[in-house]
Amino acid sequence: MVLLLTLLAGCGADTPDPSASASVPVGPTPDPMPTFTDVSKGDTDSIVRLLSFTAGKNQAVVVEPVIFMLNPDFCEAFHIPADDRRCLAAWNTSDSQAKITLPRADDAVFALVNQADISKCMDDKGAGSCEVSAREFAAYAEDQNHLIRLTTRNGVAIRLAELYTP
C-alpha cells in the first residue's frame, strides 16, 4: 500500500522528466508545401480545372482542384531546380487528380476575359470580370479543362470566372 501511495504521489509532482527534452530546430524551418483547396466545404476562392459545366437551373459543376502558382514561386515551393523546363513557363499547376461535383447556385455569376482587350475584363488576379450568361459560359466551357477561378459559399459554386493564361 505504501508503494502504491508513493507512486501515485509522484504522478502529481511538477518536476519535469529529465529524460524528456524540448525539440529545438537545428536549421531554418522549411516552408510548408502548398495544398489543394477543399472546395466542397465552407467558403473558398481558388483556381480549379473545369471538367464539366451545363447551363440551366439545378445544375452541378465538376472541377479538379489544382495548385496554380506563378514562377519562380512554383518551382521554389516544389523544390524544382531553376533550370528545369517547367520553371521557364510563366506559371504552372499541380493537379490533384480529384473530381469534385459541386451544386451550383441558380444565381451563380459567370465571367469571361475579353480576348480582344484583356485589360477590359480582367481582375487583379487574372480572372475574367465581364459577366456573361450561363449559356455563353457553357459555350466557353465546351473545350474542357479550362482553368477557372471558382468561388464557393458553403460548398456551393457561386462564381465561375475564366482564368487568363497566356
Side-chain angles (χ1 to χ4, degrees), residues 1 9 18 23 47 57 100 107 110 117 126 135 137 139 142 149:
M1 179 77 157
S23 174
I47 305 301
K57 299 279 185 194
I100 299 177
D107 61 349
F110 310 102
D117 184 2
R135 289 198 192 287
F137 196 82
E142 281 180 0
R149 184 171 175 193

Side-chain angles (χ1 to χ4, degrees), residues 3-152:
L3 180 61
L4 180 61
L5 288 174
T6 305
L7 288 173
L8 289 174
C11 290
D14 288 285
T15 53
D17 179 359
S19 65
S21 63
S23 174
V24 178
V26 176
T29 307
D31 290 332
M33 291 292 284
T35 58
F36 299 103
T37 302
D38 184 354
V39 296
S40 67
K41 297 178 182 167
D43 299 348
T44 65
D45 182 11
S46 64
I47 305 301
V48 298
R49 190 172 308 283
L50 182 62
L51 302 177
S52 177
F53 178 88
T54 306
K57 299 279 185 194
N58 301 314
Q59 295 293 324
V61 60
V62 182
V63 299
E64 175 188 359
V66 300
I67 296 171
F68 174 89
M69 294 175 72
L70 300 176
N71 274 320
D73 296 340
F74 181 89
C75 290
E76 289 171 5
F78 287 94
H79 309 291
I80 300 170
D83 60 350
D84 187 292
R85 66 177 177 78
R86 293 172 288 179
C87 300
L88 300 176
W91 54 271
N92 273 302
T93 61
S94 177
D95 299 338
S96 67
Q97 304 299 317
K99 291 182 181 179
I100 299 177
T101 302
L102 298 172
R104 193 181 75 222
D106 286 341
D107 61 349
V109 174
F110 310 102
L112 296 175
V113 173
N114 180 342
Q115 296 296 330
D117 184 2
I118 60 169
S119 64
K120 231 167 133 173
C121 292
M122 193 166 42
D123 67 16
D124 61 344
K125 294 184 180 176
S129 60
C130 289
E131 291 187 19
V132 297
S133 70
R135 289 198 192 287
E136 290 170 300
F137 196 82
Y140 155 79
E142 281 180 0
D143 298 328
Q144 294 185 0
N145 293 322
H146 290 288
L147 291 174
I148 64 166
R149 184 171 175 193
L150 172 71
T151 305
T152 65

